[in-house]
Amino acid sequence: MDPRELRPVVAQLFARGRRRTVRVAIEQEYVVAAADGGVVPIGEVRRAAAGSLAAPYLSFEPGGQVELSLPPSLEPARDLRVLTADLRRRLGGITLRPIPVDPRLEVPLQLTLPRYVAMQQHFDRIGPAGRRMMRRTASTQLCLDWWPGRAGLEQWRVLNLAGPFLAARFNRSDRLATWLAVDPARTAFDDRLLRDDDAVASYTAFAAGASAFVDGAAGHLSTLFPPVRPRGTYLEVRFLDALPPEAIERAIAVLQELMYDDVRRREALRELPCDEGLWRAAADGVLEQELAA
């Protein structure tokens, strides 16, 4: 896609907020299973969830995974626990599991909108990882307020630099390895987003290098899956496995310190290396071993 068409839309993604707010929002995905372990149709889950506290925040991933996208909060982990508990009561025998990879090998594509069919066809040209990612993986995505000025540029950089180390610390599956195999041109699990001091230019080049299978610049940008996604007024951390509640609280604490503590953020920027091989080391478990040594 033409970079000239992409750049103004990318610039909007990097607009950043106007105030130094310190909120966090959680997008939590769950693997869904029937009492007998079978696949549950999305419609059945939606009907069972009707009237729950979580219903306004409920959506689905292509394989039927449930996603709860909660609004920003000062106590996001508490909010998630309350809504998840109420949703589980409503679902009865349908289970929600905060696990990063569905152990079932055969999970159908439940969302068959043209976007998802085109995405699957694109990934199939590369290998089997795309189907596995779409249908069988789940994550905890954390969204953090993005500040104006120099601090905001530091926040973007520190999350990308710290990502491999945080994945090595919190992730306990091969989900990250799946993401690395999906389509490197549209996932950017390397250092390509940090090679230029102009973040908009780097992201535009990244977007232009990914093949387009939906129409329009905004649509194309929505099919990119970097480890940290710019969302205008907030940053979306996408590299974490689906985590249990206690691990979510620890991850939020670490990310808040990196994002909202000026001194700690700048210390981290001085200390963290920029190395395109770190994501692979995290996926292979090598980085975890080094951190433990």
Side-chain angles (χ1 to χ4, degrees):
M1 185 167 284
D2 190 339
R4 291 172 297 182
E5 181 182 357
L6 288 166
R7 186 176 176 101
V9 186
V10 171
Q12 294 175 13
L13 298 180
F14 280 81
R16 292 174 281 153
R18 296 182 178 180
R19 296 179 296 118
R20 285 191 166 214
T21 47
V22 294
R23 300 167 303 170
V24 177
I26 298 176
E27 298 175 6
Q28 176 73 358
E29 296 172 354
Y30 295 104
V31 169
V32 180
D36 62 0
V39 172
V40 184
I42 285 175
E44 183 178 338
V45 178
R46 197 186 300 276
R47 286 189 294 273
S52 68
L53 296 174
Y57 314 112
L58 182 69
S59 62
F60 297 89
E61 292 298 303
Q65 308 96 310
V66 158
E67 179 173 323
L68 294 182
S69 299
L70 306 189
S73 168
L74 295 177
E75 297 186 85
R78 181 194 65 83
D79 295 345
L80 179 64
R81 284 195 297 269
V82 170
L83 269 64
T84 298
D86 179 68
L87 181 59
R88 284 186 167 129
R89 285 192 292 269
R90 302 272 185 163
L91 295 180
I94 300 172
T95 61
L96 301 179
R97 302 180 66 194
I99 57 174
V101 180
D102 191 331
R104 298 169 298 190
L105 299 180
E106 298 297 329
V107 177
L109 182 69
Q110 293 208 49
L111 295 181
T112 56
L113 296 171
R115 164 190 171 86
Y116 292 112
V117 173
M119 186 180 298
Q120 179 172 277
Q121 290 173 344
H122 169 77
F123 290 145
D124 282 350
R125 298 187 188 102
I126 299 170
R131 288 191 177 216
R132 186 171 191 257
M133 176 274 289
M134 292 176 68
R135 303 182 187 191
R136 295 178 51 214
T137 63
S139 67
T140 296
Q141 298 170 19
L142 299 176
C143 302
L144 301 104
D145 279 330
W146 197 1
W147 290 353
R150 172 190 171 190
L153 297 177
E154 292 174 349
Q155 288 174 323
W156 166 253
R157 188 169 183 85
V158 79
L159 285 186
N160 278 281
L161 289 174
F165 298 94
L166 295 176
R169 175 175 174 180
F170 287 102
N171 292 0
R172 290 295 179 268
S173 79
D174 60 350
R175 173 185 160 276
L176 181 57
T178 296
W179 272 101
L180 266 64
V182 165
D183 178 3
R186 67 187 341 100
T187 54
F189 280 92
D190 51 30
D191 64 344
R192 74 183 65 192
L193 296 178
L194 300 176
R195 294 172 187 168
D196 193 317
D197 290 337
D198 184 342
V200 173
S202 294
Y203 205 87
T204 300
F206 159 54
S211 59
F213 51 79
V214 298
D215 294 333
H220 175 60
L221 289 167
S222 75
T223 69
L224 305 179
F225 304 104
V228 180
R229 178 183 275 170
R231 299 298 296 266
T233 59
Y234 65 93
L235 289 171
E236 180 183 83
V237 171
R238 301 178 49 84
F239 51 75
L240 294 172
D241 284 356
L243 301 174
E246 63 276 8
I248 292 176
E249 290 184 329
R250 293 196 300 272
I252 288 174
V254 173
L255 288 167
Q256 284 182 314
E257 185 176 28
L258 286 173
M259 285 288 284
Y260 304 142
D261 184 325
D262 289 341
V263 174
R264 182 67 189 100
R265 183 177 62 252
R266 288 164 188 166
E267 287 176 350
L269 285 170
R270 288 192 295 269
E271 297 168 359
L272 290 168
C274 184
D275 183 339
E276 65 177 339
L278 286 172
W279 283 110
R280 171 53 60 188
D284 292 344
V286 176
L287 194 54
E288 179 185 6
Q289 295 171 12
E290 292 179 359
L291 292 174

